Amino acid sequence: MRDEREKTPLLTTLDLDSLKFYKANIALENVTSFTGRYFLMAPCILVHFFSYVFYNLVTTQYLYDFFARKLIQNVTAMEINLNGSPCTIIEDSVLYQQRTLIQKETTKASLTFVIAGCAPALFMDVIFGVLSDRYGRKLFVIISLIGTFVKTTMTMVGMHYKLNASYFIVFIAVEGFAGGWCAVISLGFAFVSDVTSVDKSRTNSIFLIEISVGLGLVLAGVTSGYLIDGVGFVYAMMVLTVLNVLNIFIMLFCLPDTVNETNCVKGSSLRLLRSSFTFYTRDTSATAKRWKYIVCMFIFIFFNFSALSRQTVDQLYQLNVPFCWDAIKIGWYSSLSDVSRNVIGLAVIRVLQHYISDELLVIVSAVSGCTAYLVEAFAVSDVMMFFVPVVGVFSMVTGPILRSIMSRMTPPDRQGALFAGLAMVQTLCTILVDVLTKTVYLATVETARGSVFLLSAGFCALVLLFFV
């Protein structure tokens, strides 16, 4: 066995091609790294994630209101809180039973929405990411943005005519077939990898994308509550539709591409699709060993299970007793949570990286996330809930560090393939986490609503244990 390994060349044909494209990529970097238009990818992702979170915040509260009208004889969700004790925890009361019924129906519907959007995206993310190594990142980003525009437009019309919630499944599936948010962010990471060298500048660029995501989340949280309260669901969705149109036009006419005839990867489409998984099936070079990719992928999966689980039931948890928050308070909490984790936490970590190793930062991230979930699981007041983002400030650090490590191990012409595989895993995690957490929430909403966050804390503990 040892002799066979010694006879096997360390560089395969694919690796020799990668070296050739690496030289071409260095020439590209020298030309493009100082061009300001390349930085437009960051605001594009900011707007796209603003759209993603804004849409989820609006539709979740729309569903809550929809089922309140449907199940309690045309009484709105807000009217349930009028008169008497709006946040009663007396289980025998009619108000408590009504609220629990609405919680269950909204949870089931939102779970269906996630599956409808993520199931087609599971395949499209890989196709878009891999083909972007040949045809460029810009084309597939624009396709994904168009899918988001169609989804928000159809949803706006559906809300105006008060269509049944089942129609929204079709609207969300349209975006899934266009790639969805995972496709956009994976293409964004591949884009910045194209124009940065294999050093700290790439890590900085990946952190810039992550912070852009965080800013989009923050702005969505602040504005959604006031727009819902001020102009209603339909006009709030109209604002989102206009923003998506502007984003498409900016990307179409202003953003340059980073892949051209000089540095695009050659080969059949089937070979390109297989390249997303070769990192984990064989050693692709003398330094980028398969085991390194596999270890990073396991940590990435555990991290996504912990990070994504927070987003699935947060709003439902806050709409329920003992909080009974309105749209404005939910929006402010969402913004404070995102600015803490995705902006302040990542910015502070960029400074700490000069003094602390990446390995230690991942451990700090896991401990921070685990602590935040434990506080949220046992929260009984608004003060305790608003303390959650404080202790969870570093919980999102693991993601960009892992992406940076894996990107530095990967040849320039295969960045799209790498991030396509990560996007597929992230989309699959989105589906699995949503099904798991909402199933747990449905089973415990009447007895121990915080149990779902204990599950999330367990995922953080797995990240910590596996990494250590």
Side-chain angles (χ1 to χ4, degrees):
M1 180 64 69
R2 180 179 179 182
D3 293 338
E4 291 178 0
R5 288 200 302 267
E6 291 177 348
K7 294 177 182 179
T8 303
L10 291 176
L11 291 178
T12 63
T13 303
L14 182 60
D15 299 319
L16 293 174
D17 290 343
S18 298
L19 290 177
K20 178 179 68 175
F21 290 121
Y22 182 80
K23 295 177 181 178
N25 196 67
I26 294 299
L28 177 67
E29 290 170 10
N30 293 333
V31 175
T32 61
S33 58
F34 299 104
T35 303
R37 289 196 301 159
Y38 285 87
F39 290 100
L40 287 174
M41 179 56 76
C44 162
I45 289 179
L46 188 155
V47 173
H48 184 75
F49 269 82
F50 173 90
S51 173
Y52 169 72
V53 176
F54 188 102
Y55 183 90
N56 287 342
L57 288 168
V58 173
T59 52
T60 298
Q61 293 176 66
Y62 175 83
L63 285 173
Y64 200 81
D65 189 76
F66 173 83
F67 285 113
R69 294 174 182 271
K70 180 180 178 181
L71 299 172
I72 314 176
Q73 298 179 348
N74 293 324
V75 176
T76 67
M78 292 303 299
E79 288 171 343
I80 295 177
N81 289 344
L82 297 178
N83 303 321
S85 177
C87 237
T88 180
I89 59 173
I90 302 173
E91 297 185 8
D92 292 334
S93 70
V94 175
L95 182 59
Y96 182 91
Q97 294 171 0
Q98 289 176 339
R99 191 187 303 279
T100 301
L101 182 59
I102 296 170
Q103 285 267 319
K104 289 184 176 181
E105 292 300 319
T106 305
T107 303
K108 293 176 184 177
S110 60
L111 174 59
T112 307
F113 285 5
V114 170
I115 296 174
C118 290
L122 192 62
F123 304 99
M124 301 310 297
D125 290 346
V126 176
I127 294 172
F128 283 8
V130 171
L131 294 183
S132 72
D133 281 334
R134 172 187 286 182
Y135 301 107
R137 322 294 184 199
K138 179 176 176 177
L139 170 64
F140 298 101
V141 171
I142 292 173
I143 291 174
S144 297
L145 295 182
I146 291 174
T148 301
F149 163 73
V150 173
K151 178 193 73 173
T152 55
T153 303
M154 295 171 70
T155 301
M156 178 183 66
V157 174
M159 288 179 173
H160 175 74
Y161 288 103
K162 295 182 173 57
L163 298 180
N164 190 283
S166 58
Y167 285 97
F168 290 70
I169 298 173
V170 179
F171 307 158
I172 293 171
V174 170
E175 184 187 44
F177 281 106
W181 68 271
C182 280
V184 173
I185 194 171
S186 68
L187 292 166
F189 286 129
F191 184 95
V192 299
S193 298
D194 292 337
V195 294
T196 54
S197 55
V198 189
D199 55 18
K200 288 186 178 180
S201 65
R202 180 163 301 176
T203 303
N204 292 337
S205 298
I206 289 177
F207 266 91
L208 176 63
I209 295 295
E210 293 279 4
I211 290 174
S212 298
V213 170
L215 289 173
L217 303 180
V218 171
L219 294 173
V222 171
T223 57
S224 62
Y226 286 103
L227 280 172
I228 292 172
D229 187 64
V231 299
F233 297 110
V234 176
Y235 286 103
M237 198 59 63
M238 183 181 295
V239 171
L240 191 57
T241 301
V242 173
L243 279 177
N244 285 325
V245 172
L246 293 175
N247 205 19
I248 292 171
F249 273 94
I250 291 173
M251 291 294 295
L252 187 61
F253 296 109
C254 300
L255 185 77
D257 211 333
T258 56
V259 177
N260 51 44
E261 288 296 326
T262 305
N263 68 330
C264 68
V265 64
K266 309 297 182 182
S268 67
S269 297
L270 182 60
R271 174 180 173 273
L272 292 177
L273 290 173
R274 287 202 305 264
S275 67
S276 290
F277 308 100
T278 54
F279 306 108
Y280 315 101
T281 57
R282 64 180 178 85
D283 292 341
T284 54
S285 74
T287 56
K289 297 293 186 180
R290 176 181 62 174
W291 70 267
K292 295 181 182 179
Y293 284 104
I294 293 175
V295 169
C296 287
M297 179 56 76
F298 270 110
I299 299 173
F300 185 74
I301 291 172
F302 293 143
F303 165 72
N304 275 285
F305 265 67
S306 64
L308 294 172
S309 60
R310 177 179 65 87
Q311 304 172 8
T312 58
V313 295
D314 253 9
Q315 288 185 70
L316 294 171
Y317 190 66
Q318 294 152 11
L319 286 165
N320 204 358
V321 296
F323 311 108
C324 302
W325 287 358
D326 59 16
I328 293 177
K329 187 174 286 188
I330 289 174
W332 271 108
Y333 177 84
S334 176
S335 293
L336 290 173
S337 181
D338 290 323
V339 77
S340 170
R341 292 178 170 101
N342 296 83
V343 180
I344 297 175
L346 294 181
V348 170
I349 287 298
R350 288 302 301 129
V351 176
L352 293 179
Q353 274 191 310
H354 296 291
Y355 310 100
I356 302 176
S357 67
D358 286 350
E359 291 79 8
L360 183 56
L361 291 177
V362 172
I363 294 173
V364 170
S365 175
V367 172
S368 176
C370 190
T371 305
Y373 283 127
L374 290 175
V375 173
E376 190 165 10
F378 297 105
V380 293
S381 65
D382 291 2
V383 174
M384 290 185 68
M385 278 297 295
F386 278 95
F387 189 65
V388 171
V390 177
V391 295
V393 63
F394 298 123
S395 59
M396 298 300 292
V397 170
T398 301
I401 289 179
L402 280 176
R403 285 190 173 97
S404 177
I405 291 172
M406 297 179 77
S407 178
R408 292 198 299 266
M409 294 193 303
T410 306
D413 62 306
R414 302 183 66 196
Q415 294 292 324
L418 170 70
F419 287 113
L422 293 178
M424 178 181 179
V425 170
Q426 197 164 25
T427 303
L428 181 60
C429 288
T430 302
I431 298 174
L432 295 177
V433 168
D434 208 79
V435 172
L436 179 61
T437 54
K438 285 179 178 172
T439 300
V440 171
Y441 188 72
L442 278 171
T444 59
V445 65
E446 296 181 74
T447 55
R449 291 175 295 278
S451 299
V452 67
F453 298 109
L454 296 178
L455 178 66
S456 303
F459 293 139
C460 290
L462 285 176
V463 172
L464 179 61
L465 291 174
F466 193 86
F467 195 83
V468 171

